[in-house]
Amino acid sequence: MPDFATLRVTWEPRILSVLRIVVGVLYMEHGLAKILDFPHQPNHTPYAVFTLNPGLQGLLELVGGLLLALGLFTRTVAFILAGNMAVAYFMAHAPRGFFPLLNGGELAIVYCFVFLYFWLAGGGEWSLDRLRAPASASAVSPSRA
């Protein structure tokens, strides 16, 4: 049976990829709900292109979530989405009160910091970024694609 260090080194980049895929798909679901009304939400606002929410916000969620799930341009997309979530928190949640539990902003905070993690960590082993990286870069650090 392998020791924990070997297990960790082997699975760390793969679990990073699993986390990235799951977060990307969940984030993409928010964009699908705003743009295509799927899944339908009772408080759905019709999509309007030239608005901040659901217009720009829905596009960022849909396209950004898809790119993140695929692991394509992971660092750039994650940085943009982290900023997006910070802005969303301070525009929509912070005015409702100081505590995130009471103002409904805990998910925005979690997304923001997970996206910051992806910005630093990259897409992991199972990402399209790793496939498009030069062979020398992936040989040096396979977990940082």
Side-chain angles (χ1 to χ4, degrees):
M1 183 168 154
D3 62 344
F4 180 73
T6 306
L7 182 71
R8 183 188 62 78
V9 169
T10 303
W11 280 95
E12 183 178 310
R14 295 172 183 159
I15 294 299
L16 171 62
S17 294
V18 170
L19 177 65
R20 176 188 44 78
I21 292 165
V22 169
V23 167
V25 168
L26 290 174
Y27 198 67
M28 189 173 64
E29 184 181 27
H30 288 274
L32 282 170
K34 287 179 180 162
I35 294 175
L36 302 175
D37 194 23
F38 178 79
H40 177 70
Q41 296 175 314
N43 60 349
H44 175 71
T45 305
Y47 184 70
V49 176
F50 299 109
T51 61
L52 188 58
N53 191 18
L56 178 62
Q57 184 69 27
L59 282 175
L60 282 172
E61 290 171 352
L62 182 63
V63 175
L66 177 64
L67 289 173
L68 204 63
L70 295 173
L72 188 60
F73 310 115
T74 303
R75 292 178 193 271
T76 305
V77 169
F79 184 76
I80 292 168
L81 295 181
N84 178 43
M85 284 292 91
V87 168
Y89 178 80
F90 287 108
M91 285 184 70
H93 300 285
R96 295 186 207 157
F98 179 75
F99 298 103
L101 182 65
L102 301 178
N103 68 24
E106 60 274 354
L107 186 58
I109 293 170
V110 170
Y111 271 131
C112 181
F113 281 91
V114 168
F115 293 149
L116 285 176
Y117 174 67
F118 291 144
W119 174 56
L120 290 175
E125 189 169 326
W126 300 326
S127 68
L128 293 179
D129 286 338
R130 183 155 189 248
L131 293 177
R132 46 187 260 331
S136 60
S138 61
V140 172
S141 179
S143 67
R144 302 296 182 209

